[in-house]
Amino acid sequence: MSARAAIYRLMHPRVGARGSRLLAVLPELICTAGLLAMIVDTGTPAGSRADLVLSGIVMAVWGFFVAVYALRIWSAPEAPAQHATGAAGARRAYMLSARGWIDLMAALALPVGWLTGLPQRDAQLLAIVWSLKYIRRSGGLTLLWRVLKRAFPALVSVVTVFFVILLIAATLAYVFEREAPAGAFASIPHALWWAIVTLSTTGYGDMVPATTSGRLLAAWVMVSGIVIFALWAGIVANAFAEELRRRDFLKTWDLVAKVPFFQTLGAAAIADIVRLLHARDVAAGTVVIREGQAGDSMYFIVSGEARAMLAPEPVTLRPGAFFGEMALLFGTPRSTTIVITQPCVLLVLDVADFRVLAARRPELINVIEAEGRRRREANAALVHP
Amino acid sequence: MSARAAIYRLMHPRVGARGSRLLAVLPELICTAGLLAMIVDTGTPAGSRADLVLSGIVMAVWGFFVAVYALRIWSAPEAPAQHATGAAGARRAYMLSARGWIDLMAALALPVGWLTGLPQRDAQLLAIVWSLKYIRRSGGLTLLWRVLKRAFPALVSVVTVFFVILLIAATLAYVFEREAPAGAFASIPHALWWAIVTLSTTGYGDMVPATTSGRLLAAWVMVSGIVIFALWAGIVANAFAEELRRRDFLKTWDLVAKVPFFQTLGAAAIADIVRLLHARDVAAGTVVIREGQAGDSMYFIVSGEARAMLAPEPVTLRPGAFFGEMALLFGTPRSTTIVITQPCVLLVLDVADFRVLAARRPELINVIEAEGRRRREANAALVHP
Amino acid sequence: MSARAAIYRLMHPRVGARGSRLLAVLPELICTAGLLAMIVDTGTPAGSRADLVLSGIVMAVWGFFVAVYALRIWSAPEAPAQHATGAAGARRAYMLSARGWIDLMAALALPVGWLTGLPQRDAQLLAIVWSLKYIRRSGGLTLLWRVLKRAFPALVSVVTVFFVILLIAATLAYVFEREAPAGAFASIPHALWWAIVTLSTTGYGDMVPATTSGRLLAAWVMVSGIVIFALWAGIVANAFAEELRRRDFLKTWDLVAKVPFFQTLGAAAIADIVRLLHARDVAAGTVVIREGQAGDSMYFIVSGEARAMLAPEPVTLRPGAFFGEMALLFGTPRSTTIVITQPCVLLVLDVADFRVLAARRPELINVIEAEGRRRREANAALVHP
Amino acid sequence: MSARAAIYRLMHPRVGARGSRLLAVLPELICTAGLLAMIVDTGTPAGSRADLVLSGIVMAVWGFFVAVYALRIWSAPEAPAQHATGAAGARRAYMLSARGWIDLMAALALPVGWLTGLPQRDAQLLAIVWSLKYIRRSGGLTLLWRVLKRAFPALVSVVTVFFVILLIAATLAYVFEREAPAGAFASIPHALWWAIVTLSTTGYGDMVPATTSGRLLAAWVMVSGIVIFALWAGIVANAFAEELRRRDFLKTWDLVAKVPFFQTLGAAAIADIVRLLHARDVAAGTVVIREGQAGDSMYFIVSGEARAMLAPEPVTLRPGAFFGEMALLFGTPRSTTIVITQPCVLLVLDVADFRVLAARRPELINVIEAEGRRRREANAALVHP
């Protein structure tokens, strides 16, 4: 393995490999250290010992991010998906990806501050863009984005209403309260501040209406705030439900198609089954099933490898195999411990869905049942030979 | 084109026409400028230079709205839907429409202030009615309205409970706290102010119970506030879900009926398909599909025109055509870029729904597949002739 | 009609009868007047002229409620449902009903205050029980109650978690903050007040943690508050959806069974149709359909009477008739105005559901279509004879 | 019965046995007394009489928990599920269970305080771990846990966004406000406190931005807070709906399989029926149906015993019997009172679902109808012999 490939491997650890978890979260840990140092530093006297130490940490983390960016550009051609595009193409692809842009911003944050003539303590504040690195990791963000896009037209309407209520409330509050002795409502911009604090039900209490009409107005604003909030929650909840259903369906479909057990089925049957199965990624070393526990699901192996800890010698389960069906068929506790030996993608069939499947596709359950009975007899033969 | 028609066209730009976007948002921009000037003006000393400039802007915007109203009345007979009713009828129709009323209020806001003897700075405050212009644009408001109407009986119950809790809480707070040294709870109207601030969980902190019983009461009011809020959100969320389902169904149905591809189907099959398709309006110039990207939907053209950027010469796609099916059928990246040349209404079939459709209506997918295969061979012939 | 029957009729006005609306809301208006007088009175100096007037109003309303209770007992035997049980039974039934208990409490509120030796101004505060009269009117309260009962086990879990977090947060806040200079966290009961104010995100600001550990604790409490709130909203929203579905289904089923048009259908077909129809009560005088407007639903008359305003002479529509189908069948504007002449119960079929019905039960739509075509020809004959 | 068995029975009262309710809640009552004494004690002067009494109560409750833990270990072998594992195994099983750990922590709380050298008043604060005893009782907690696990990936995304917004808001607030005269935003840690108070819409008001840019930032933070909250509620609501559906399905399935009436059905039919039935546990002595009332459900007895209070002599209903069907079939009020004599598990069939069932499985309803008619005739014979 070349140095470049070693660097690439170090920065893109395979899931399930030894030490891969630590390597995977290391950048986040370093990022957190840098952000913490920057945050705490704002509370120290300039030039104090603590200030120097903390600034040093921020600089070190910045150096790390510069190095990461440089190394990622250098090792980009090692990416498996880029073998065909050539070194320059692979590097451009990385630099134009979302990840590349965030890495660039992380590396440039402090230099931009220095170039614009900010003192060191102020330039450090720009390190806040490092927090975007957290977002990149979160797999669910795409989901959030699709949900907001789906709910967009309805959300725009609610925001419009929110905005109009804000303007009207601020104008009325100014009219009602401008003569009041406290005198906080001196202009509509002041009243707007009160209106947003009240409409969001935050209620700092720095501006409070004193007249009766001002208070009636405030009551209306608060109740409007709650209603708008409820509308928002309702819209988002609906969009979420539809988006999740869509995503689960697609993910499971792709996996079901890979399991030989289901490949004899027609498209209609698969569309039926896909709704009942759920995909799950499992790291190596996980104990999926523990002997003697109660069981409420069975599993199909899509990829990876598991081991059934049977008495004389363990049995290796490969893609296409299934396990855990006995607890569902006979209601008994788990008879064997199953350990994942290679990172696996499993399809999980819950006991509730197993029963629905038994009603709709008895032929499938018959195959599972035959296998389950065969295994039970084999187990019994082992115990009482 | 007569002057009247030109004016009408200027105020009702066709979607997709050159410059139409700017023309469409211009009234909103002017409205925003006027509102901003009015708002900022309340913070300037009367008679100062800034006051004069800002008042001038408000007056100019008012003049614009008066002119808009007059021109809209004058050009109303040009509205396509009104050609049959005659000039007077068309003008009355505009004046009695929601848009007409809002335009009238925008034009009359300041004069009403002057007529009632308000000084200029106070008369300007009436310009706040201009903010209603934002609401008119928001297409989703009808939806919000239908949702609230659907949820009305349940919402009324929650509001009644809200109101009764408010009254009881205020009376009890008055009883518990009227002797307390702070002395803010001097009467039930005062206590009502505290109760609404607490029940909406706004919590200004200007009135806080000091006795133990007052605090227990406050805890109950806060928890009630949360529960009422949750009830509200739950009601609205349900009404939203039903209303959205209804609206999508209707919109898509009308479009499906226009696509020749679906016209051979019976009503039952169409009712089935309509649930799987989603309508989308696309402006001219949009790149719907970009070569080489991953694809997760296919499209049917209901109206408008698109161009497939094929190698020797682009192919024009007209209403009734479909595109994007190859990525769904073969899992390959997009093979062609598709650009919209005339504003289009498209029906989008997501990959998840494509598969459901394949299971339920294999005959439709067969047609799509045959076309897809034909196109793939044609493409291959172009690349390797 | 005997005096007793006249009194009964006065207090139980038939829906749709002349003046019935005013009579129906009169008790609420009087109740509101009494409550307002009581509330405002707490803000007047004792013995002042305003105090005397307002106390007088409260006393008058109390007299009204005593009279109402007495008259309702006296006239109870006139209730149609009680004709068989005899006068004593009818009276007992009223007195033991929820309405009877609320009426009794309204009548006894002030006397209880006097008997326990309260001064007049304090005894009046008991009039707050009159606010329960609002609740009795709200038809949706039964629904709220069923929803809360259905969601009860899940809600109890959330409340338990809420309570445990509250206790732990208060204890920790006391430990962290008791030494802080501000000194508001002097004991756990004090800290509990802070915890509930924070967990409900009310945030009065009268007690604010000053130490770093106290602020971290507060952040955890605030986020817990939001999560608990979200759980609550989620639970209630689900219970609502199920309960509404159940209620609509039952209400519509009963009505569908009364319409001759549907009586030839089997149970399976009816179960299918019931999901598509919605019941609506309509008062006499309502214009359900207005000529020339766009239409998106058709109607079946379950009970009551409507009139189609056809040109030579209006046609009366009786229970079992349907109308409004032409706009759905032909997409034309409404051709006739329909006015309700006797209070009606209508079954509404939305255009979206009409199309679903056309797909599932074409035989029904054929009947409607035949009738629609017949009416169109009749109309055409009227216009162009 | 041995002393050990008697102790076990005392601590695990059978549901429905005489006095079992009091025994079941006794530990919670004692726990509440101990917590209350600990809480109130923090408000008394050290060494005062009240302090001594309250400390005494706390010590007594602690003694009770020590005794409970010891007795539970001793009597663990009496647990029915542990008869096979032997005394040591049963004891270990209890000690390693969640209940065992909580009991241990309750017993060790105070000694841990003493051992670490805390004074008595501070050691008592550790008694707050007793509040975990409430959680153990709440059956719905498993449900909450499964819901949160199901919604985990989406929730993590929202939390990440929450956290990033928090960091950015605090840094910007520090930049905008650090020069402001009030001077509360002295460092980013200070600004973080403001940001969390604002983002959760708590709004204590102890730190309020004073500059215009700070206020615009605050408005953005408040609106973000509402949107994040709405996302959260939407995610949780969806996870709840799915989890509840799954749980009800499983619970009912197990019960349906025990009722002879349903045993002749195939798996597909049972899967259909399970969705319509709901399980309910009923204590002995409950009156499920009261003669003369309106009825909207019928019941199947899964286990336990009920008695129909028929005129000459009551009839005992055993598992497999059903009752309440007459009100559903004939729309009449309940003809008999039904009292539970042994704790029962019932399957409830709501009138709405009864009708759906009649449409889908007429053969089942025919059996119920035949039985209902037979009973009606028998009743009639009793009344008019």
Side-chain angles (χ1 to χ4, degrees):
Chain A
M1 192 160 63
S2 71
R4 202 174 73 176
I7 290 285
Y8 184 83
R9 178 71 32 242
L10 207 64
M11 294 196 304
H12 301 81
R14 255 181 310 168
V15 176
R18 184 187 298 259
S20 69
R21 290 199 177 177
L22 181 65
L23 271 178
V25 300
L26 194 67
E28 267 71 34
L29 290 180
I30 291 174
C31 178
T32 305
L35 282 171
L36 270 181
M38 183 275 277
I39 286 171
V40 174
D41 191 26
T42 61
T44 60
S48 69
R49 213 194 136 100
D51 178 24
L52 295 179
V53 170
L54 292 167
S55 286
I57 294 175
V58 174
M59 293 304 293
V61 173
W62 170 66
F64 173 77
F65 284 142
V66 171
V68 161
Y69 189 58
L71 288 172
R72 280 209 175 126
I73 292 178
W74 180 54
S75 68
E78 300 288 333
Q82 303 289 350
H83 283 165
T85 45
R91 285 181 179 131
R92 212 183 47 225
Y94 161 68
M95 289 167 75
L96 293 180
S97 69
R99 180 172 207 156
W101 281 111
I102 290 177
D103 287 349
L104 177 65
M105 284 164 66
L108 287 189
L110 298 197
V112 162
W114 298 324
L115 287 175
T116 53
L118 291 178
Q120 169 66 10
R121 279 171 72 93
D122 285 1
Q124 277 181 27
L125 294 177
L126 292 168
I128 195 68
V129 299
W130 297 349
S131 64
L132 295 177
K133 293 227 167 195
Y134 297 117
I135 286 195
R136 186 181 48 67
R137 270 189 67 83
S138 164
L141 266 190
T142 324
L143 178 65
L144 281 191
W145 179 245
R146 286 187 69 102
V147 166
L148 289 179
K149 222 168 61 180
R150 184 188 280 270
F152 188 72
L155 287 177
V156 163
S157 305
V158 178
V159 169
T160 307
V161 173
F162 184 90
F163 190 61
V164 171
I165 289 180
L166 208 64
L167 283 179
I168 293 177
T171 307
L172 289 178
Y174 168 69
V175 171
F176 295 152
E177 297 283 331
R178 58 183 161 172
E179 321 271 83
F185 293 79
S187 71
I188 295 187
H190 284 89
L192 269 170
W193 169 242
W194 166 82
I196 180 82
V197 168
T198 303
L199 194 55
S200 66
T201 74
T202 304
Y204 282 135
D206 56 337
M207 286 171 75
V208 176
T211 64
T212 302
S213 43
R215 290 180 166 191
L216 287 175
L217 172 70
W220 171 70
V221 173
M222 288 167 201
V223 172
S224 300
I226 294 181
V227 173
I228 284 173
F229 198 166
L231 280 170
W232 225 316
I235 295 167
V236 171
N238 279 312
F240 233 101
E242 283 185 43
E243 196 55 41
L244 280 178
R245 221 172 293 136
R246 175 188 178 278
R247 206 173 66 146
D248 284 359
F249 183 87
L250 283 184
K251 189 175 175 194
T252 313
W253 183 289
D254 290 343
L255 296 175
V256 166
K258 292 187 189 156
V259 178
F261 185 74
F262 298 115
Q263 274 165 5
T264 58
L265 296 169
I270 288 194
D272 223 32
I273 286 168
V274 163
R275 285 174 209 285
L276 302 177
L277 292 163
H278 296 277
R280 201 200 289 172
D281 295 301
V282 189
T286 311
V287 178
V288 184
I289 284 182
R290 201 179 289 277
E291 192 183 337
Q293 284 187 332
D296 63 356
S297 15
M298 67 170 292
Y299 303 84
F300 299 88
I301 303 182
V302 178
S303 65
E305 205 181 273
R307 190 163 295 170
M309 295 311 190
L310 289 171
E313 55 182 277
V315 171
T316 300
L317 300 168
R318 299 229 159 67
F322 54 85
F323 57 87
E325 76 289 349
M326 280 193 267
L328 272 57
L329 287 166
F330 312 115
T332 52
R334 300 298 197 189
S335 60
T336 329
T337 297
I338 308 271
V339 183
I340 302 300
T341 47
Q342 302 278 338
C344 268
V345 178
L346 301 176
L347 284 171
V348 185
L349 181 60
D350 190 276
V351 57
D353 299 319
F354 180 84
R355 286 170 181 175
V356 172
L357 190 61
R360 289 209 209 134
R361 305 264 156 209
E363 69 278 15
L364 279 184
I365 298 301
N366 288 346
V367 176
I368 294 175
E369 204 167 347
E371 174 71 12
R373 216 165 270 134
R374 199 194 57 69
R375 289 188 189 169
R376 184 141 84 159
E377 280 152 22
N379 280 9
L382 287 176
V383 180
H384 319 286
Chain B
M1 193 159 64
S2 71
R4 201 173 74 175
I7 289 285
Y8 184 84
R9 179 69 33 242
L10 208 63
M11 294 197 303
H12 302 81
R14 255 181 311 167
V15 176
R18 183 187 299 260
S20 68
R21 289 198 178 179
L22 181 65
L23 271 179
V25 300
L26 194 66
E28 267 71 34
L29 290 180
I30 292 175
C31 179
T32 306
L35 282 171
L36 272 181
M38 182 275 278
I39 286 171
V40 175
D41 191 26
T42 61
T44 60
S48 69
R49 211 194 137 99
D51 178 25
L52 294 179
V53 170
L54 292 167
S55 287
I57 295 175
V58 173
M59 293 304 294
V61 173
W62 170 67
F64 172 77
F65 284 141
V66 170
V68 161
Y69 188 58
L71 287 172
R72 280 207 176 127
I73 292 178
W74 180 55
S75 68
E78 300 288 332
Q82 303 289 350
H83 283 165
T85 44
R91 285 182 178 128
R92 209 181 53 222
Y94 160 69
M95 289 166 75
L96 294 180
S97 70
R99 178 171 209 157
W101 282 111
I102 291 177
D103 287 349
L104 177 64
M105 283 164 67
L108 287 190
L110 298 198
V112 162
W114 297 325
L115 286 175
T116 53
L118 292 177
Q120 168 68 10
R121 278 170 73 94
D122 286 1
Q124 278 181 27
L125 295 177
L126 291 169
I128 195 69
V129 300
W130 296 350
S131 63
L132 295 177
K133 293 227 168 194
Y134 297 117
I135 287 195
R136 186 180 48 67
R137 270 191 65 85
S138 164
L141 266 189
T142 324
L143 179 65
L144 281 191
W145 179 246
R146 286 187 70 102
V147 166
L148 290 179
K149 222 167 61 180
R150 184 189 280 270
F152 189 72
L155 287 178
V156 162
S157 303
V158 178
V159 168
T160 306
V161 172
F162 185 90
F163 190 62
V164 170
I165 290 180
L166 208 63
L167 283 179
I168 293 176
T171 306
L172 289 177
Y174 168 69
V175 170
F176 295 153
E177 297 283 331
R178 59 182 161 171
E179 321 270 83
F185 293 78
S187 71
I188 295 187
H190 285 88
L192 269 171
W193 170 241
W194 165 82
I196 180 82
V197 168
T198 303
L199 193 56
S200 65
T201 74
T202 304
Y204 283 134
D206 56 337
M207 285 171 75
V208 177
T211 64
T212 303
S213 43
R215 288 180 167 191
L216 288 175
L217 172 72
W220 171 69
V221 172
M222 288 167 200
V223 172
S224 300
I226 295 181
V227 173
I228 284 172
F229 199 165
L231 279 170
W232 225 316
I235 295 167
V236 171
N238 280 312
F240 233 100
E242 283 184 44
E243 195 55 39
L244 279 178
R245 222 171 293 135
R246 175 186 178 279
R247 206 173 66 147
D248 284 359
F249 183 87
L250 283 184
K251 190 176 175 192
T252 313
W253 183 290
D254 290 343
L255 296 175
V256 166
K258 291 188 190 157
V259 177
F261 185 73
F262 298 114
Q263 273 165 4
T264 58
L265 296 170
I270 288 194
D272 223 32
I273 286 168
V274 163
R275 287 175 207 285
L276 303 176
L277 292 163
H278 296 277
R280 201 198 289 171
D281 294 302
V282 190
T286 311
V287 178
V288 184
I289 284 182
R290 201 179 289 277
E291 193 183 336
Q293 284 187 331
D296 63 355
S297 17
M298 66 170 292
Y299 304 85
F300 299 88
I301 303 182
V302 178
S303 65
E305 205 179 272
R307 190 164 295 171
M309 294 311 191
L310 289 171
E313 54 183 276
V315 171
T316 300
L317 300 168
R318 299 229 160 64
F322 54 86
F323 57 88
E325 76 290 350
M326 281 193 266
L328 273 57
L329 287 167
F330 312 115
T332 52
R334 299 298 196 190
S335 61
T336 328
T337 297
I338 308 272
V339 184
I340 302 300
T341 47
Q342 302 277 338
C344 269
V345 178
L346 301 177
L347 283 171
V348 186
L349 181 60
D350 190 277
V351 57
D353 299 319
F354 180 82
R355 287 169 182 175
V356 172
L357 190 61
R360 289 210 209 134
R361 305 263 154 212
E363 70 277 15
L364 279 185
I365 299 301
N366 288 345
V367 175
I368 294 176
E369 205 166 346
E371 174 71 12
R373 216 166 270 134
R374 199 192 59 69
R375 289 188 190 171
R376 185 142 83 160
E377 279 152 22
N379 280 9
L382 287 176
V383 180
H384 321 283
Chain C
M1 192 159 64
S2 70
R4 202 173 74 176
I7 290 286
Y8 184 83
R9 178 72 29 242
L10 207 64
M11 293 196 305
H12 301 81
R14 255 180 310 167
V15 176
R18 184 187 298 260
S20 69
R21 290 199 175 176
L22 181 65
L23 271 179
V25 300
L26 194 67
E28 268 71 34
L29 290 181
I30 292 175
C31 178
T32 304
L35 283 171
L36 272 181
M38 183 274 277
I39 287 171
V40 174
D41 191 25
T42 61
T44 60
S48 70
R49 211 192 137 100
D51 178 24
L52 294 180
V53 170
L54 292 167
S55 287
I57 294 175
V58 174
M59 293 304 294
V61 173
W62 169 66
F64 173 76
F65 284 142
V66 170
V68 161
Y69 188 57
L71 287 173
R72 279 207 176 129
I73 292 178
W74 179 56
S75 67
E78 300 288 332
Q82 303 289 350
H83 283 165
T85 44
R91 284 179 179 133
R92 211 180 50 224
Y94 161 67
M95 290 167 75
L96 294 180
S97 69
R99 179 172 209 157
W101 281 110
I102 291 177
D103 287 349
L104 178 64
M105 283 164 67
L108 287 189
L110 298 198
V112 162
W114 298 324
L115 286 175
T116 53
L118 292 177
Q120 168 67 9
R121 277 170 74 93
D122 285 1
Q124 277 181 27
L125 295 177
L126 293 169
I128 195 69
V129 300
W130 296 350
S131 64
L132 296 177
K133 293 228 168 194
Y134 296 118
I135 287 195
R136 186 179 49 65
R137 270 191 66 85
S138 165
L141 266 188
T142 324
L143 179 65
L144 281 191
W145 179 245
R146 286 188 70 103
V147 167
L148 290 179
K149 222 167 62 181
R150 184 188 278 269
F152 189 73
L155 287 178
V156 162
S157 305
V158 178
V159 168
T160 307
V161 173
F162 184 92
F163 190 62
V164 170
I165 290 179
L166 207 65
L167 282 178
I168 293 176
T171 306
L172 289 177
Y174 169 68
V175 170
F176 295 152
E177 296 284 331
R178 59 183 161 171
E179 321 271 82
F185 293 79
S187 70
I188 296 187
H190 284 89
L192 270 171
W193 170 242
W194 166 82
I196 181 82
V197 168
T198 303
L199 193 56
S200 65
T201 76
T202 304
Y204 281 135
D206 56 337
M207 286 172 74
V208 176
T211 65
T212 302
S213 44
R215 288 180 167 192
L216 287 176
L217 171 71
W220 171 69
V221 173
M222 287 167 201
V223 173
S224 300
I226 294 181
V227 173
I228 284 173
F229 198 166
L231 280 170
W232 225 316
I235 295 167
V236 171
N238 279 312
F240 233 101
E242 285 185 42
E243 195 56 39
L244 279 179
R245 222 171 294 135
R246 176 188 178 279
R247 206 173 67 147
D248 283 359
F249 183 87
L250 283 184
K251 190 174 174 193
T252 313
W253 183 289
D254 290 342
L255 296 176
V256 166
K258 291 187 190 158
V259 177
F261 185 74
F262 298 114
Q263 273 164 5
T264 58
L265 297 169
I270 288 194
D272 223 32
I273 287 168
V274 163
R275 287 174 207 285
L276 303 176
L277 292 164
H278 296 277
R280 202 200 288 172
D281 294 301
V282 189
T286 311
V287 177
V288 183
I289 285 181
R290 201 180 288 277
E291 192 183 336
Q293 285 187 331
D296 63 355
S297 17
M298 66 170 293
Y299 305 83
F300 299 87
I301 303 182
V302 179
S303 66
E305 205 180 272
R307 190 164 295 172
M309 294 312 190
L310 290 171
E313 55 181 277
V315 171
T316 300
L317 300 168
R318 299 230 160 64
F322 54 84
F323 58 87
E325 77 288 348
M326 281 193 267
L328 273 57
L329 287 166
F330 313 115
T332 51
R334 299 298 196 189
S335 59
T336 329
T337 297
I338 308 271
V339 184
I340 302 300
T341 45
Q342 300 278 338
C344 268
V345 178
L346 301 177
L347 284 170
V348 186
L349 182 60
D350 191 275
V351 57
D353 299 318
F354 180 83
R355 286 169 182 176
V356 172
L357 190 62
R360 290 210 207 132
R361 305 263 155 211
E363 70 277 16
L364 279 184
I365 298 300
N366 289 345
V367 176
I368 294 175
E369 204 167 346
E371 173 71 12
R373 216 166 269 136
R374 198 192 60 70
R375 288 188 191 170
R376 185 143 83 160
E377 280 152 22
N379 280 7
L382 286 177
V383 180
H384 319 284
Chain D
M1 190 160 66
S2 71
R4 202 172 74 174
I7 290 285
Y8 184 83
R9 179 70 32 241
L10 207 64
M11 294 196 304
H12 301 81
R14 256 180 310 167
V15 175
R18 184 188 297 259
S20 68
R21 290 198 175 177
L22 181 65
L23 272 178
V25 299
L26 194 67
E28 268 72 34
L29 291 181
I30 291 174
C31 178
T32 305
L35 282 171
L36 271 181
M38 184 274 278
I39 286 171
V40 174
D41 191 25
T42 61
T44 60
S48 69
R49 213 193 134 101
D51 178 25
L52 295 179
V53 170
L54 292 166
S55 287
I57 294 175
V58 174
M59 293 303 294
V61 172
W62 170 66
F64 173 76
F65 284 141
V66 171
V68 161
Y69 189 56
L71 287 173
R72 279 207 176 127
I73 292 178
W74 179 57
S75 68
E78 301 288 333
Q82 302 289 350
H83 284 164
T85 45
R91 285 181 179 131
R92 210 180 53 222
Y94 161 68
M95 288 166 77
L96 294 180
S97 70
R99 179 171 209 157
W101 281 111
I102 291 178
D103 287 349
L104 177 65
M105 283 165 66
L108 287 189
L110 298 198
V112 162
W114 297 325
L115 287 175
T116 53
L118 292 177
Q120 169 67 10
R121 279 170 72 93
D122 285 0
Q124 278 181 25
L125 294 177
L126 292 169
I128 195 69
V129 299
W130 297 350
S131 64
L132 296 177
K133 293 228 168 195
Y134 296 118
I135 287 195
R136 187 180 48 65
R137 270 189 67 83
S138 165
L141 265 189
T142 324
L143 179 65
L144 281 191
W145 180 246
R146 286 187 70 103
V147 167
L148 289 179
K149 222 168 62 181
R150 184 189 279 269
F152 189 73
L155 287 178
V156 163
S157 305
V158 179
V159 168
T160 307
V161 173
F162 184 90
F163 190 62
V164 170
I165 290 179
L166 208 63
L167 283 178
I168 293 176
T171 306
L172 289 177
Y174 168 68
V175 170
F176 294 152
E177 296 284 331
R178 59 182 162 172
E179 321 269 84
F185 294 78
S187 71
I188 294 187
H190 284 89
L192 270 172
W193 170 242
W194 166 81
I196 180 82
V197 168
T198 303
L199 194 55
S200 66
T201 74
T202 304
Y204 283 135
D206 55 337
M207 286 171 76
V208 176
T211 65
T212 302
S213 44
R215 289 181 166 191
L216 287 175
L217 171 70
W220 171 70
V221 173
M222 288 168 201
V223 172
S224 300
I226 295 181
V227 173
I228 284 173
F229 199 165
L231 280 170
W232 226 316
I235 296 167
V236 171
N238 280 312
F240 233 101
E242 284 185 42
E243 195 56 41
L244 279 179
R245 222 172 292 135
R246 175 186 178 280
R247 206 173 67 147
D248 284 0
F249 183 86
L250 283 184
K251 190 175 174 193
T252 313
W253 183 290
D254 290 342
L255 296 175
V256 165
K258 291 186 190 158
V259 177
F261 185 74
F262 297 115
Q263 275 164 4
T264 58
L265 296 170
I270 287 194
D272 223 33
I273 286 169
V274 162
R275 286 173 209 285
L276 302 177
L277 292 163
H278 296 277
R280 201 200 289 171
D281 295 300
V282 190
T286 311
V287 177
V288 182
I289 284 182
R290 201 180 289 278
E291 193 183 336
Q293 284 187 331
D296 63 354
S297 17
M298 66 170 293
Y299 304 85
F300 298 88
I301 303 182
V302 179
S303 65
E305 206 179 272
R307 189 164 296 169
M309 295 312 190
L310 290 171
E313 55 182 277
V315 171
T316 300
L317 300 167
R318 299 231 158 64
F322 55 83
F323 57 88
E325 77 289 348
M326 280 195 267
L328 273 57
L329 287 167
F330 312 113
T332 51
R334 300 298 197 189
S335 60
T336 329
T337 297
I338 308 272
V339 183
I340 302 300
T341 46
Q342 302 278 338
C344 268
V345 178
L346 300 177
L347 284 170
V348 185
L349 181 60
D350 190 275
V351 56
D353 300 317
F354 180 84
R355 287 170 181 174
V356 172
L357 189 62
R360 290 210 209 133
R361 305 263 155 210
E363 68 277 16
L364 279 184
I365 298 301
N366 288 346
V367 176
I368 294 175
E369 204 167 345
E371 173 70 12
R373 218 165 268 135
R374 198 192 59 68
R375 289 188 191 171
R376 185 142 83 158
E377 280 152 21
N379 279 8
L382 287 176
V383 179
H384 319 283

